[in-house]
Amino acid sequence: MATTNVENVDTHGDPDHHAKVFRAYLIVFIALSVFTLASFLANWAEQAGMYSVATAAAIILGVAVIKACLVGIIFMHLKWDWYKLYFMIVPAFIIGTMMIIVLLPDIVLAWHHPNVP
């Protein structure tokens, strides 16, 4: 019967890892809340005539990009698993390119045929 050596058991690295990740989640949640408030304030300022439509749209778009980056980096684990992304993206691009090459003749040639009643 095999015995297990206690020293060789995987403890998942740092014992404070979960506390650090939870703290990061809370910080990102607070940042997302603040940025959402900034979007609402920019919209309110535009409605009140304090900002132009273009200025408010630029602020809201900038805030949306920052929020998307925060969600991607922290909640989608790209901060910790960035190297694994390549194993998903590269096959998707290969399959997408193959689909374009396979379907392109049908797309190009289909509109040349007149409608048959």
Side-chain angles (χ1 to χ4, degrees):
M1 178 172 219
T3 60
T4 304
N5 190 356
V6 176
E7 290 85 26
N8 292 332
V9 175
D10 184 18
T11 60
H12 300 291
D14 187 13
D16 293 330
H17 174 73
H18 293 292
K20 291 176 186 176
V21 171
F22 184 71
R23 183 171 184 261
Y25 286 164
L26 286 179
I27 290 171
V28 170
F29 172 73
I30 292 168
L32 290 173
S33 300
V34 169
F35 286 130
T36 301
L37 179 65
S39 294
F40 278 107
L41 289 176
N43 187 32
W44 175 80
E46 188 276 324
Q47 295 294 322
M50 301 166 84
Y51 290 153
S52 67
V53 173
T55 304
I59 292 170
I60 292 170
L61 185 62
V63 166
V65 168
I66 292 170
K67 287 170 58 176
C69 289
L70 284 173
V71 167
I73 290 170
I74 300 298
F75 291 126
M76 296 175 71
H77 300 273
L78 294 180
K79 179 179 179 181
W80 299 283
D81 296 331
W82 183 253
Y83 63 93
K84 292 179 184 176
L85 182 67
Y86 293 113
F87 292 109
M88 292 182 279
I89 294 293
V90 171
F93 277 122
I94 292 171
I95 290 172
T97 304
M98 289 172 53
M99 291 294 291
I100 290 172
I101 292 170
V102 167
L103 296 177
L104 193 60
D106 290 336
I107 295 169
V108 171
L109 297 176
W111 65 276
H112 287 290
H113 297 292
N115 291 336
V116 179

